[in-house]
């Protein structure tokens, strides 16, 4: 704000200097103007630094909280959003919000203050001519409303298309062996090209619309400048308007144009950030589809460890993956589940640690319904070996002991049982 005050005061001081035509006054006011300019440069530099720091802090906190929220979501919720969409929300959407915050801190106060300050000092110089500037404001507001109203849904569509591109890329890279085995590279490239073509078309459309805002505002302002020059010319001819005021009015019009350009830049970034913010909020306000159980009584291990009682399950309301499943397992017993692809073997296992909730029936673990267990406690009691091996970033030891913080000797024993110890020893640093 102080930086903006410096800018709007300079033309007014120039008018005062020109009207006085006093050497000593001119020198003193010149020193004041120089001090104002230097302070403006210092304040602008500090403002840029602190605004960048504030924007980075906001994005860091938002990204950390969003990542924590994503990790708290259950499988239902992750399936609903999709991994590719969540990655884009965590990266591209948060970056869009960060850019908007950076620009907002710098411009949101400064640009309106420049406009209001310029109009205020213009009114002080000549209220009649200054009203021309005021008359331009409703037209400028209408142009902003017209453009931004049409931009918001376009940016939302752009982000959704970006999700589709990320999903297509993820699937192709994960299934690259299958794609090449069936010689389907060309088909996958065509699908990817279709998504990128749609993204390009949407981006170009939004770019054309946003590009119209600057010229439209310039046209309105230039019409105001022409009107000011016209009326000032008539007033000068009648000796009712000092020539020294002309430069001040032109300077204020230039400041208003610059401020409007800032607001245009802010508006375009803000519209994009609004679409991104809506997507981020969807994740933040997503409620877990699984309700945590509250049964904390001490568990006793009886003869029956696991029991399914007439269990039905479906991933959605339109189909059933499992129907009428009933069995029980006692201590020391094992159960082999045999079936074709997509017959529900993995689905059945996923119901035990409540990765998904059943539609009807009951699943009892140690005599208590799994829905009554606190989820964290239930999953601590159950060991799951996934179908597909997943290696996380870190050391081999961290991967083998993942989730239990196992001692070194235990990790080595596990590696030997898995026939992995020999090749692990041959890796750098063992």
């Amino acid at each position: 704000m102080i930086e903006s005050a410096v800018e709007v005061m300079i033309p007014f001081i120039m008018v005062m200097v020109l009207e006085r035509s006093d050497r000593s006054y001119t020198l003193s006011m010149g020193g004041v103007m120089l001090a104002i300019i230097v302070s403006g440069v210092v304040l602008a530099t500090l403002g840029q630094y602190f605004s960048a720091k504030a924007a980075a802090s906001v994005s860091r906190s938002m990204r950390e909280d969003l990542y924590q929220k994503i990790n708290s979501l259950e499988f239902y919720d992750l399936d609903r959003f999709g991994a590719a969409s969540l990655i884009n929300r965590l990266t591209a959407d948060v970056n869009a919000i960060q850019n908007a915050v950076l620009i907002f801190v710098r411009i949101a106060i400064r640009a309106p203050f420049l406009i209001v300050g310029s109009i205020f000092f213009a009114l002080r110089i000549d209220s009649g001519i200054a009203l021309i500037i005021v008359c331009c404001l409703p037209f400028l507001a209408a142009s902003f409303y017209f453009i931004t109203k049409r931009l918001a849904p376009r940016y939302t569509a752009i982000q959704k298309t970006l999700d589709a591109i990320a999903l297509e890329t993820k699937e192709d890279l994960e299934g690259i062996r299958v794609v090449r085995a069936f010689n389907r590279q060309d088909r996958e490239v065509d699908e990817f090209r279709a998504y990128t073509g749609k993204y390009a078309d949407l981006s170009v459309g939004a770019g054309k619309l946003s590009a119209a805002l600057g010229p439209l505002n310039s046209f309105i302002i230039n019409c105001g400048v022409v009107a000011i020059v016209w009326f000032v010319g008539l007033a000068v001819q009648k000796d009712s308007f000092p020539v020294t005021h002309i430069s001040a009015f032109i300077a204020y019009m230039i400041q208003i144009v610059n401020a409007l350009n800032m607001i245009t830049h802010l508006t375009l970034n803000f519209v994009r950030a609004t679409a991104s913010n809506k997507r981020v909020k969807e994740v933040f306000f997503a409620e877990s589809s699984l309700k945590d159980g509250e049964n904390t009584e001490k568990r006793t291990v009886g003869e029956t460890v696991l029991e399914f009682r007439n269990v039905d399950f479906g991933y959605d309301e339109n189909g059933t993956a499992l129907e009428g499943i009933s069995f029980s397992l006692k201590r020391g017993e094992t159960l082999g589940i045999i079936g074709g692809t997509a017959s529900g073997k993995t689905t059945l296992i996923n119901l035990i640690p409540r990765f998904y909730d059943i539609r009807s029936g009951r699943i009892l673990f140690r005599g208590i319904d799994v829905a009554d267990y606190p989820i964290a406690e239930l999953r601590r009691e159950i060991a799951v070996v996934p179908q597909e091996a997943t290696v996380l970033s870190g050391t081999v030891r961290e991967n083998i002991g993942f989730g239990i913080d196992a001692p070194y000797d235990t990790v080595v024993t596990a590696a030997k049982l898995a026939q992995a110890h020999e090749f692990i020893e041959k890796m750098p640093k063992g």
Side-chain angles (χ1 to χ4, degrees), residues 367-384:
I368 298 175
D369 196 310
V370 293
D372 294 332
Y373 274 86
I375 293 176
E377 181 180 341
L378 174 66
R379 292 175 183 172
R380 275 198 301 268
E381 298 293 325
I382 299 172
V384 178

PDB file of all heavy atoms in Angstrom, residues 367-384:
ATOM      1  N   GLY A 367     -14.306 -63.741  16.990  1.00  0.00           N
ATOM      2  CA  GLY A 367     -15.621 -63.677  17.602  1.00  0.00           C
ATOM      3  C   GLY A 367     -16.282 -62.317  17.576  1.00  0.00           C
ATOM      4  O   GLY A 367     -17.411 -62.168  18.044  1.00  0.00           O
ATOM      5  N   ILE A 368     -15.623 -61.301  17.043  1.00  0.00           N
ATOM      6  CA  ILE A 368     -16.180 -59.942  17.018  1.00  0.00           C
ATOM      7  C   ILE A 368     -16.293 -59.489  15.569  1.00  0.00           C
ATOM      8  O   ILE A 368     -15.407 -59.718  14.751  1.00  0.00           O
ATOM      9  CB  ILE A 368     -15.287 -58.965  17.811  1.00  0.00           C
ATOM     10  CG1 ILE A 368     -15.216 -59.397  19.279  1.00  0.00           C
ATOM     11  CG2 ILE A 368     -15.796 -57.539  17.709  1.00  0.00           C
ATOM     12  CD1 ILE A 368     -14.276 -58.569  20.122  1.00  0.00           C
ATOM     13  N   ASP A 369     -17.412 -58.825  15.246  1.00  0.00           N
ATOM     14  CA  ASP A 369     -17.627 -58.319  13.892  1.00  0.00           C
ATOM     15  C   ASP A 369     -16.514 -57.335  13.532  1.00  0.00           C
ATOM     16  O   ASP A 369     -16.185 -56.445  14.330  1.00  0.00           O
ATOM     17  CB  ASP A 369     -18.985 -57.612  13.812  1.00  0.00           C
ATOM     18  CG  ASP A 369     -19.446 -57.420  12.378  1.00  0.00           C
ATOM     19  OD1 ASP A 369     -18.639 -56.916  11.565  1.00  0.00           O
ATOM     20  OD2 ASP A 369     -20.599 -57.763  12.064  1.00  0.00           O
ATOM     21  N   VAL A 370     -15.944 -57.500  12.331  1.00  0.00           N
ATOM     22  CA  VAL A 370     -14.833 -56.622  11.934  1.00  0.00           C
ATOM     23  C   VAL A 370     -15.268 -55.163  11.872  1.00  0.00           C
ATOM     24  O   VAL A 370     -14.445 -54.253  12.022  1.00  0.00           O
ATOM     25  CB  VAL A 370     -14.249 -57.052  10.571  1.00  0.00           C
ATOM     26  CG1 VAL A 370     -13.569 -58.409  10.664  1.00  0.00           C
ATOM     27  CG2 VAL A 370     -15.320 -57.052   9.477  1.00  0.00           C
ATOM     28  N   ALA A 371     -16.571 -54.912  11.670  1.00  0.00           N
ATOM     29  CA  ALA A 371     -17.064 -53.536  11.618  1.00  0.00           C
ATOM     30  C   ALA A 371     -17.004 -52.860  12.982  1.00  0.00           C
ATOM     31  O   ALA A 371     -17.059 -51.632  13.074  1.00  0.00           O
ATOM     32  CB  ALA A 371     -18.496 -53.509  11.090  1.00  0.00           C
ATOM     33  N   ASP A 372     -16.903 -53.693  14.063  1.00  0.00           N
ATOM     34  CA  ASP A 372     -16.842 -53.130  15.410  1.00  0.00           C
ATOM     35  C   ASP A 372     -15.417 -52.848  15.869  1.00  0.00           C
ATOM     36  O   ASP A 372     -15.208 -52.207  16.897  1.00  0.00           O
ATOM     37  CB  ASP A 372     -17.508 -54.082  16.411  1.00  0.00           C
ATOM     38  CG  ASP A 372     -19.007 -54.214  16.158  1.00  0.00           C
ATOM     39  OD1 ASP A 372     -19.589 -53.248  15.631  1.00  0.00           O
ATOM     40  OD2 ASP A 372     -19.574 -55.280  16.472  1.00  0.00           O
ATOM     41  N   TYR A 373     -14.437 -53.341  15.126  1.00  0.00           N
ATOM     42  CA  TYR A 373     -13.030 -53.093  15.476  1.00  0.00           C
ATOM     43  C   TYR A 373     -12.625 -51.673  15.069  1.00  0.00           C
ATOM     44  O   TYR A 373     -13.040 -51.188  14.009  1.00  0.00           O
ATOM     45  CB  TYR A 373     -12.103 -54.048  14.719  1.00  0.00           C
ATOM     46  CG  TYR A 373     -11.865 -55.391  15.350  1.00  0.00           C
ATOM     47  CD1 TYR A 373     -12.741 -56.438  15.131  1.00  0.00           C
ATOM     48  CD2 TYR A 373     -10.744 -55.609  16.140  1.00  0.00           C
ATOM     49  CE1 TYR A 373     -12.508 -57.696  15.677  1.00  0.00           C
ATOM     50  CE2 TYR A 373     -10.499 -56.865  16.688  1.00  0.00           C
ATOM     51  CZ  TYR A 373     -11.389 -57.889  16.464  1.00  0.00           C
ATOM     52  OH  TYR A 373     -11.153 -59.128  17.010  1.00  0.00           O
ATOM     53  N   PRO A 374     -11.792 -50.993  15.854  1.00  0.00           N
ATOM     54  CA  PRO A 374     -11.079 -49.829  15.315  1.00  0.00           C
ATOM     55  C   PRO A 374     -10.227 -50.292  14.132  1.00  0.00           C
ATOM     56  O   PRO A 374      -9.526 -51.315  14.231  1.00  0.00           O
ATOM     57  CB  PRO A 374     -10.221 -49.359  16.487  1.00  0.00           C
ATOM     58  CG  PRO A 374     -10.904 -49.896  17.710  1.00  0.00           C
ATOM     59  CD  PRO A 374     -11.522 -51.197  17.287  1.00  0.00           C
ATOM     60  N   ILE A 375     -10.305 -49.607  12.999  1.00  0.00           N
ATOM     61  CA  ILE A 375      -9.671 -50.082  11.765  1.00  0.00           C
ATOM     62  C   ILE A 375      -8.181 -50.311  11.947  1.00  0.00           C
ATOM     63  O   ILE A 375      -7.630 -51.323  11.497  1.00  0.00           O
ATOM     64  CB  ILE A 375      -9.941 -49.083  10.618  1.00  0.00           C
ATOM     65  CG1 ILE A 375     -11.435 -49.084  10.292  1.00  0.00           C
ATOM     66  CG2 ILE A 375      -9.133 -49.448   9.378  1.00  0.00           C
ATOM     67  CD1 ILE A 375     -11.840 -48.063   9.243  1.00  0.00           C
ATOM     68  N   ALA A 376      -7.488 -49.366  12.618  1.00  0.00           N
ATOM     69  CA  ALA A 376      -6.037 -49.499  12.801  1.00  0.00           C
ATOM     70  C   ALA A 376      -5.698 -50.756  13.588  1.00  0.00           C
ATOM     71  O   ALA A 376      -4.748 -51.484  13.262  1.00  0.00           O
ATOM     72  CB  ALA A 376      -5.482 -48.262  13.500  1.00  0.00           C
ATOM     73  N   GLU A 377      -6.494 -51.040  14.619  1.00  0.00           N
ATOM     74  CA  GLU A 377      -6.223 -52.225  15.443  1.00  0.00           C
ATOM     75  C   GLU A 377      -6.488 -53.498  14.656  1.00  0.00           C
ATOM     76  O   GLU A 377      -5.716 -54.465  14.735  1.00  0.00           O
ATOM     77  CB  GLU A 377      -7.103 -52.193  16.692  1.00  0.00           C
ATOM     78  CG  GLU A 377      -6.868 -53.376  17.619  1.00  0.00           C
ATOM     79  CD  GLU A 377      -7.745 -53.338  18.860  1.00  0.00           C
ATOM     80  OE1 GLU A 377      -8.254 -52.242  19.178  1.00  0.00           O
ATOM     81  OE2 GLU A 377      -7.914 -54.398  19.488  1.00  0.00           O
ATOM     82  N   LEU A 378      -7.574 -53.521  13.871  1.00  0.00           N
ATOM     83  CA  LEU A 378      -7.898 -54.698  13.067  1.00  0.00           C
ATOM     84  C   LEU A 378      -6.772 -55.023  12.099  1.00  0.00           C
ATOM     85  O   LEU A 378      -6.359 -56.185  11.971  1.00  0.00           O
ATOM     86  CB  LEU A 378      -9.207 -54.448  12.301  1.00  0.00           C
ATOM     87  CG  LEU A 378      -9.622 -55.528  11.294  1.00  0.00           C
ATOM     88  CD1 LEU A 378      -9.965 -56.825  12.020  1.00  0.00           C
ATOM     89  CD2 LEU A 378     -10.802 -55.044  10.457  1.00  0.00           C
ATOM     90  N   ARG A 379      -6.246 -54.008  11.438  1.00  0.00           N
ATOM     91  CA  ARG A 379      -5.218 -54.249  10.418  1.00  0.00           C
ATOM     92  C   ARG A 379      -3.867 -54.587  11.046  1.00  0.00           C
ATOM     93  O   ARG A 379      -3.038 -55.212  10.381  1.00  0.00           O
ATOM     94  CB  ARG A 379      -5.123 -53.020   9.506  1.00  0.00           C
ATOM     95  CG  ARG A 379      -6.382 -52.859   8.658  1.00  0.00           C
ATOM     96  CD  ARG A 379      -6.404 -51.603   7.827  1.00  0.00           C
ATOM     97  NE  ARG A 379      -7.671 -51.508   7.116  1.00  0.00           N
ATOM     98  CZ  ARG A 379      -8.059 -50.427   6.416  1.00  0.00           C
ATOM     99  NH1 ARG A 379      -7.257 -49.376   6.339  1.00  0.00           N
ATOM    100  NH2 ARG A 379      -9.229 -50.423   5.809  1.00  0.00           N
ATOM    101  N   ARG A 380      -3.653 -54.192  12.276  1.00  0.00           N
ATOM    102  CA  ARG A 380      -2.424 -54.620  12.966  1.00  0.00           C
ATOM    103  C   ARG A 380      -2.433 -56.122  13.250  1.00  0.00           C
ATOM    104  O   ARG A 380      -1.394 -56.752  13.348  1.00  0.00           O
ATOM    105  CB  ARG A 380      -2.254 -53.843  14.276  1.00  0.00           C
ATOM    106  CG  ARG A 380      -1.565 -52.488  14.126  1.00  0.00           C
ATOM    107  CD  ARG A 380      -1.054 -51.992  15.468  1.00  0.00           C
ATOM    108  NE  ARG A 380      -2.117 -51.857  16.451  1.00  0.00           N
ATOM    109  CZ  ARG A 380      -2.802 -50.735  16.667  1.00  0.00           C
ATOM    110  NH1 ARG A 380      -2.549 -49.661  15.940  1.00  0.00           N
ATOM    111  NH2 ARG A 380      -3.739 -50.690  17.591  1.00  0.00           N
ATOM    112  N   GLU A 381      -3.627 -56.682  13.384  1.00  0.00           N
ATOM    113  CA  GLU A 381      -3.759 -58.095  13.738  1.00  0.00           C
ATOM    114  C   GLU A 381      -3.722 -59.012  12.519  1.00  0.00           C
ATOM    115  O   GLU A 381      -3.716 -60.233  12.659  1.00  0.00           O
ATOM    116  CB  GLU A 381      -5.083 -58.316  14.491  1.00  0.00           C
ATOM    117  CG  GLU A 381      -5.208 -57.568  15.808  1.00  0.00           C
ATOM    118  CD  GLU A 381      -4.219 -58.081  16.844  1.00  0.00           C
ATOM    119  OE1 GLU A 381      -3.944 -59.295  16.855  1.00  0.00           O
ATOM    120  OE2 GLU A 381      -3.703 -57.262  17.627  1.00  0.00           O
ATOM    121  N   ILE A 382      -3.757 -58.448  11.314  1.00  0.00           N
ATOM    122  CA  ILE A 382      -3.866 -59.256  10.098  1.00  0.00           C
ATOM    123  C   ILE A 382      -2.679 -58.980   9.188  1.00  0.00           C
ATOM    124  O   ILE A 382      -2.353 -57.815   8.913  1.00  0.00           O
ATOM    125  CB  ILE A 382      -5.188 -58.937   9.347  1.00  0.00           C
ATOM    126  CG1 ILE A 382      -6.390 -59.269  10.238  1.00  0.00           C
ATOM    127  CG2 ILE A 382      -5.263 -59.694   8.036  1.00  0.00           C
ATOM    128  CD1 ILE A 382      -7.715 -58.810   9.673  1.00  0.00           C
ATOM    129  N   ALA A 383      -2.022 -60.037   8.734  1.00  0.00           N
ATOM    130  CA  ALA A 383      -0.916 -59.892   7.779  1.00  0.00           C
ATOM    131  C   ALA A 383      -1.430 -60.180   6.376  1.00  0.00           C
ATOM    132  O   ALA A 383      -2.140 -61.174   6.160  1.00  0.00           O
ATOM    133  CB  ALA A 383       0.212 -60.851   8.131  1.00  0.00           C
ATOM    134  N   VAL A 384      -1.095 -59.313   5.438  1.00  0.00           N
ATOM    135  CA  VAL A 384      -1.547 -59.455   4.055  1.00  0.00           C
ATOM    136  C   VAL A 384      -0.333 -59.486   3.136  1.00  0.00           C
ATOM    137  O   VAL A 384       0.542 -58.621   3.225  1.00  0.00           O
ATOM    138  CB  VAL A 384      -2.469 -58.279   3.650  1.00  0.00           C
ATOM    139  CG1 VAL A 384      -2.884 -58.425   2.187  1.00  0.00           C
ATOM    140  CG2 VAL A 384      -3.701 -58.246   4.539  1.00  0.00           C
TER     141      VAL A 384
END
